[in-house]
Amino acid sequence: MNAADTLAAAGLRSSDTLAPSKERRTVLNQEDFMTLLSTQLKFQDPSKPMEANEMVAQMAQLSMVAGVSDLKDQLSQLSQSLTSSRASQAAQLVGRDVLLDGEASLLPLGGPLTGAVNLPADAADLKLSIYDPAGRLMRQVTLGPQPAGLVRFAWDGSLADGSNAAPGQYRVFADPGTGQSVPTLASARVDSVLLGSDGQGVQLILDGYGVTDLSAVKQVM
């Protein structure tokens, strides 16, 4: 007789033959709460029945727990919807040009430096001054009279002596003829879009500029 037969004869079973125990839950749901409340009412002391106020308080607690759970589910669904909408809107920017603060504008290899200036009023004689990273004046470009609003510009990198400036970052300042500088905007092409795992923090990968926050975009062309 083997060990299994010996245990069987004694009315016992090996632990290997026992079915695995079910996973224990540590959180009560609404059904559990109602079961506990019903059991409490069934076995309560008749001489000390549960007061109506106490029962109402427990039911209110149950309703609050259920309400919070429903609200959490609704917020989760809303978050997923907003994430999907934000991703769809951001994807529509791929392949389009956007305007950024022109603190640094790119002169790419084989292409022009492009940007824009937003004039608050008509300019009698709009001039652009282009500086290299060391602060040296590289070129001045005259655009002449321009109406108020967005005025786009392009510089092919040519210098006054006929040579070409090296590709890289340049700073562009605009003077509408008043002797006061007006901020310029750099133009860049959107290559792709990055969306944070939480649906927040949309970032753009711009040609020649790398990763840029969507909040830095002043206008989509």
Side-chain angles (χ1 to χ4, degrees):
M1 181 178 294
N2 56 30
D5 294 335
T6 302
L7 291 173
L12 303 175
R13 289 183 295 170
S14 169
S15 60
D16 295 338
T17 65
L18 297 176
S21 59
K22 296 182 179 179
E23 182 180 354
R24 297 180 59 187
R25 290 189 295 111
T26 59
V27 179
L28 297 180
N29 56 27
Q30 185 173 359
E31 183 179 354
D32 296 330
F33 191 96
M34 290 301 298
T35 300
L36 288 174
L37 182 58
S38 299
T39 303
Q40 183 179 2
L41 292 173
K42 181 178 180 181
F43 294 100
Q44 66 180 338
D45 186 350
S47 64
K48 297 180 181 180
M50 180 183 294
E51 295 184 1
N53 290 342
E54 184 179 354
M55 183 181 298
V56 170
Q58 292 198 23
M59 294 300 295
Q61 182 181 5
L62 172 61
S63 299
M64 182 180 298
V65 171
V68 170
S69 178
D70 292 343
L71 179 59
K72 186 176 181 181
D73 291 340
Q74 293 174 8
L75 289 176
S76 177
Q77 294 175 3
L78 178 60
S79 176
Q80 293 176 3
S81 177
L82 290 176
T83 298
S84 177
S85 176
R86 189 177 291 109
S88 176
Q89 293 176 359
Q92 295 178 9
L93 295 177
V94 176
R96 301 184 65 177
D97 291 334
V98 295
L99 294 178
L100 317 166
D101 285 329
E103 184 67 24
S105 298
L106 177 69
L107 176 65
L109 179 63
L113 179 154
T114 58
V117 54
N118 195 8
L119 296 174
D122 292 347
D125 187 19
L126 181 61
K127 293 181 180 179
L128 302 178
S129 298
I130 304 170
Y131 296 82
D132 68 5
R136 295 173 296 192
L137 179 63
M138 303 299 293
R139 186 69 189 268
Q140 285 189 318
V141 179
T142 299
L143 299 180
Q146 297 291 336
L150 194 68
V151 178
R152 303 194 68 173
F153 60 80
W155 175 52
D156 60 5
S158 62
L159 302 177
D161 61 3
S163 62
N164 293 319
Q169 300 282 347
Y170 291 86
R171 300 181 67 183
V172 182
F173 296 93
D175 179 359
T178 62
Q180 296 182 342
S181 179
V182 176
T184 61
L185 303 171
S187 177
R189 179 67 54 87
V190 179
D191 283 340
S192 58
V193 175
L194 298 175
L195 186 64
S197 57
D198 59 352
Q200 305 296 325
V202 177
Q203 294 181 309
L204 306 178
I205 300 181
L206 305 179
D207 184 20
Y209 290 85
V211 179
T212 303
D213 289 338
L214 180 60
S215 58
V217 174
K218 301 305 180 183
Q219 187 170 338
V220 178
M221 305 304 293

